[in-house]
């Protein structure tokens, strides 16, 4: 909109060239360009750029605007119309996936603006729920009837088949009724509704040598017709058919029900207005060492940020794109705080109890460095107070419009394990996730336990409703080559990778659908 007019006898003929930056790299590479639109200062470009989107990565984009040379290159400085820098997450995180950014780059002139719109390509996100039963299957067991189960196969482009689902075994019957099951359409047929779906019927044997009863073939399109009528398939055994002249079939399978619903994605919720609220909690216990000493984990040299500051910056700079007000509550724990020197496990870094929010990640860093100068590092290392603090905020709005992410940065040995487990179990029912980054050389077995990837966290007989904790040790990301940018990009990628799934699991368990974005 309102581009500079560089042509003498007419308006400019603009084109937009998109450049992308690799993760942890400073080099820009051309990704693609729009069509040229002649003689206008307000072009609406039709050509779209299709990019892979990763929530956990900072995907930097650069848009250069200018006329095109005859041999295809964008014109030089004299005809340059401006450029804009933006992260893909900023576009997706903006209202309705629409972002307007001022063009810059021509000294002393207003270059107009560029409007960016992002939408997610539909990639067959439907999920099918179906139920089947069988009738008069062949008897395979010597002392009883069969123990039937079904195996579903998706056909591949090369004519081979890939297993995509197994039902449970129904014991000792020739007329089984299987439980309803759910499967993504892309797993069943890769989005091709007419692709063959092969279904084998087996008799289960304890030793794993299951007996083949028969097979039948169908397609997603054929299965979907069962929404209005029962569909009966003959189960055929090719070997029996060849041997016996009077062979009819090895039983039948009936599709009792078939329903389809859309699976929502992380982007659907963000576009629908869900805000990610980011809170930071930093470990101020004495085990970190005196901040003024180079051996301290809080020590910041004139040339390098501390491990705490690096971790905060790496994670925060990505999450802030999804928070419209860019105000982040930031707390410290495990220190004696002025004026009375009482130990606190959730003191605001900005020293404002009524409003602990800092403006942007830079504001959090500033308050963190200020706190290092005013508080006395002490102990113990208690997580529960700050987890309960954020859980209290998350409990106020549970309709899916707000989701909280708590980043805890710590040097290790946790003092209130039982209370922390209790806090996590309670928080797992709320719209929130917890990221823990461990800095320093300590062993972090307790953190691995809280992570809950292998065993769900429990407290007093109650199990966490969802896995909401992600833990990583900072030392795993310290690059020997000294490439700090790349190291921190990898750290952010790993700690944030589970957030979209955790958000979706909350929405799904509460049956919260994304709000429809206005057209």
């Amino acid at each position: 909109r309102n581009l500079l007019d560089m042509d003498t006898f007419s308006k400019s003929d603009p084109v937009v060239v998109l450049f992308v930056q690799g993760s942890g790299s400073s080099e820009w590479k051309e990704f693609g360009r729009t069509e040229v639109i002649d003689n206008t200062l307000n072009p609406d470009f039709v050509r779209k750029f299709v990019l892979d989107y990763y929530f956990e990565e900072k995907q930097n984009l650069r848009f250069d605007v200018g006329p095109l040379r005859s041999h295809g290159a964008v014109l030089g400085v004299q005809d340059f119309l401006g450029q804009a820098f933006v992260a893909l997450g900023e576009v997706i995180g903006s209202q309705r996936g629409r972002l307007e950014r001022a063009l810059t780059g021509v000294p002393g002139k207003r270059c107009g603006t560029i409007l960016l719109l992002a939408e997610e390509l539909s990639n067959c996100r439907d999920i099918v729920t179906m139920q089947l039963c069988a009738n008069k299957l062949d008897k395979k067991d010597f002392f009883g009837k069969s123990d039937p189960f079904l195996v579903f196969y998706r056909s591949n482009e090369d004519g081979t088949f890939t297993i995509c689902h197994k039902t449970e075994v129904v014991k000792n019957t020739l007329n089984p009724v299987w439980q309803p099951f759910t499967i993504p359409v892309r797993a069943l047929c890769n989005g091709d509704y007419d692709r063959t779906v092969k279904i084998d019927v087996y008799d289960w044997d304890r030793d794993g040598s299951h007996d083949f009863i028969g097979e039948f073939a169908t397609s997603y399109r054929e299965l979907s017709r069962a929404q209005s009528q029962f569909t009966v398939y003959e189960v055929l055994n090719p070997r029996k058919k060849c041997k016996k002249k009077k062979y009819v079939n090895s039983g039948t399978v009936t599709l009792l029900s078939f329903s389809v619903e859309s699976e929502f994605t992380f982007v659907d919720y963000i576009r629908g207005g869900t805000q990610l609220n980011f809170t930071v909690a930093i470990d101020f216990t004495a085990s970190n060492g005196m901040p003024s000493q180079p051996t301290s984990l809080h020590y910041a040299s004139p040339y390098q940020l501390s491990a705490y500051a690096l971790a905060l910056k790496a994670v925060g700079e990505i999450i802030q794109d999804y928070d419209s007000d860019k105000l982040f509550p930031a707390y410290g724990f495990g220190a004696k705080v002025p004026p009375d020197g009482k130990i606190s496990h959730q003191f605001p870094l900005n020293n404002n109890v009524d409003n602990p929010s800092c403006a942007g990640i830079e504001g959090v860093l500033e308050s963190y460095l200020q706190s290092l100068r005013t508080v006395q590092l002490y102990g113990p290392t208690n997580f529960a107070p700050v987890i309960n603090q954020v859980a209290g905020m998350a409990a106020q709005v549970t309709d899916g419009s707000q989701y909280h992410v708590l980043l805890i940065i710590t040097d290790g040995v946790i003092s209130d394990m039982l209370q922390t487990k209790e806090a996590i179990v309670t928080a797992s029912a709320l719209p929130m996730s917890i990221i823990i980054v461990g800095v320093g050389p300590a062993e972090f077995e307790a953190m691995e336990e809280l992570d809950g990837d292998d065993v769900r966290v429990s407290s007093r007989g109650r199990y966490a409703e969802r896995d909401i904790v992600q833990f990583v040790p900072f030392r795993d990301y310290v690059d020997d080559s000294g490439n700090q940018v790349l190291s921190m990009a990898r750290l952010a990628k790993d700690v944030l990778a589970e957030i979209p799934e955790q958000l979706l699991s909350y929405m799904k368990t509460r049956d919260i659908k994304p709000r429809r974005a206005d057209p």
Side-chain angles (χ1 to χ4, degrees), residues 316-518:
E317 284 186 348
I318 290 175
I319 275 198
Q320 70 179 354
D321 289 341
Y322 302 88
D323 189 325
S324 60
D325 63 12
K326 306 282 188 283
L327 295 173
F328 307 122
Y331 299 93
F333 58 90
K336 287 184 172 180
V337 298
D340 52 9
K342 278 188 179 172
I343 298 167
S344 173
H345 296 293
Q346 54 186 101
F347 62 89
L349 295 186
N350 65 0
N351 207 26
N352 185 339
V353 178
D354 297 325
N355 182 14
S357 295
C358 304
I361 296 305
E362 291 307 319
V364 177
L365 279 168
E366 210 175 289
S367 297
Y368 155 65
L369 295 171
Q370 181 61 33
S371 289
L372 283 176
R373 291 191 281 271
T374 56
V375 305
Q376 181 191 344
L377 273 58
Y378 206 73
T381 306
N382 290 355
F383 284 4
V386 78
I387 293 174
N388 289 329
Q389 170 86 11
V390 176
M393 292 190 284
Q396 290 171 19
V397 183
T398 58
D399 63 359
S401 62
Q402 307 284 328
Y403 193 87
H404 293 259
V405 178
L406 168 61
L407 171 65
I408 299 174
I409 313 176
T410 179
D411 77 329
V413 186
I414 184 169
S415 310
D416 64 340
M417 190 64 169
L418 292 176
Q419 293 89 332
T420 295
K421 282 184 169 182
E422 177 76 13
I424 288 170
V425 170
T426 302
S428 70
L430 296 168
M432 70 177 279
S433 292
I434 301 166
I435 296 165
I436 304 173
V437 178
V439 298
E443 293 304 317
F444 292 110
E445 289 97 336
M447 304 301 162
E448 299 285 2
E449 189 181 338
L450 296 178
D451 194 314
D453 279 346
D454 300 319
V455 180
R456 192 64 62 88
V457 176
S458 64
S459 171
R460 297 191 291 185
R462 283 195 312 146
Y463 280 85
E465 207 177 284
R466 305 177 293 126
D467 172 18
I468 63 166
V469 179
Q470 170 74 341
F471 166 74
V472 297
F474 184 84
R475 59 173 173 251
D476 289 0
Y477 299 88
V478 178
D479 197 301
D480 294 337
S481 68
N483 186 339
Q484 208 175 78
V485 176
L486 187 58
S487 302
M488 292 308 97
R490 282 175 46 237
L491 170 75
K493 184 174 178 176
D494 282 5
V495 296
L496 293 172
E498 291 185 13
I499 299 290
E501 278 306 317
Q502 289 173 358
L503 181 146
L504 289 173
S505 72
Y506 174 78
M507 301 298 185
K508 205 166 186 177
T509 55
R510 298 295 181 277
D511 196 28
I512 297 170
K513 294 183 171 45
R515 297 175 183 185
R516 289 192 71 83
D518 296 333

Side-chain angles (χ1 to χ4, degrees), residues 124 157 185 189-196 219-221:
C124 192
E157 298 285 352
V185 171
C189 64
N190 212 19
D192 179 353
Y193 292 177
D194 297 306
R195 186 174 291 205
T196 301
S219 66
Y220 172 85
R221 197 179 298 281

Side-chain angles (χ1 to χ4, degrees), residues 237-309:
N237 186 320
R239 286 178 67 182
K240 273 192 171 184
K241 198 174 181 181
C242 291
K243 284 181 182 176
K244 297 181 179 179
K245 283 186 178 178
K246 291 185 178 179
Y247 175 81
V248 179
N249 60 42
S250 295
T252 60
V253 169
T254 303
L255 182 60
L256 295 174
S257 64
F258 184 97
S259 60
V260 186
E261 62 179 45
S262 275
E263 179 185 31
F264 297 112
T265 68
F266 175 74
V267 174
D268 290 330
Y269 287 97
I270 298 299
R271 278 179 63 92
T274 297
Q275 287 287 306
L276 296 190
N277 298 307
F278 184 45
T279 302
V280 179
I282 293 176
D283 185 335
F284 280 78
T285 54
S287 53
N288 285 285
M290 283 290 288
S292 57
Q293 299 297 316
T295 51
S296 170
L297 295 168
H298 282 300
Y299 179 73
S301 78
Y303 314 105
Q304 189 172 335
L305 292 169
S306 69
Y308 278 89

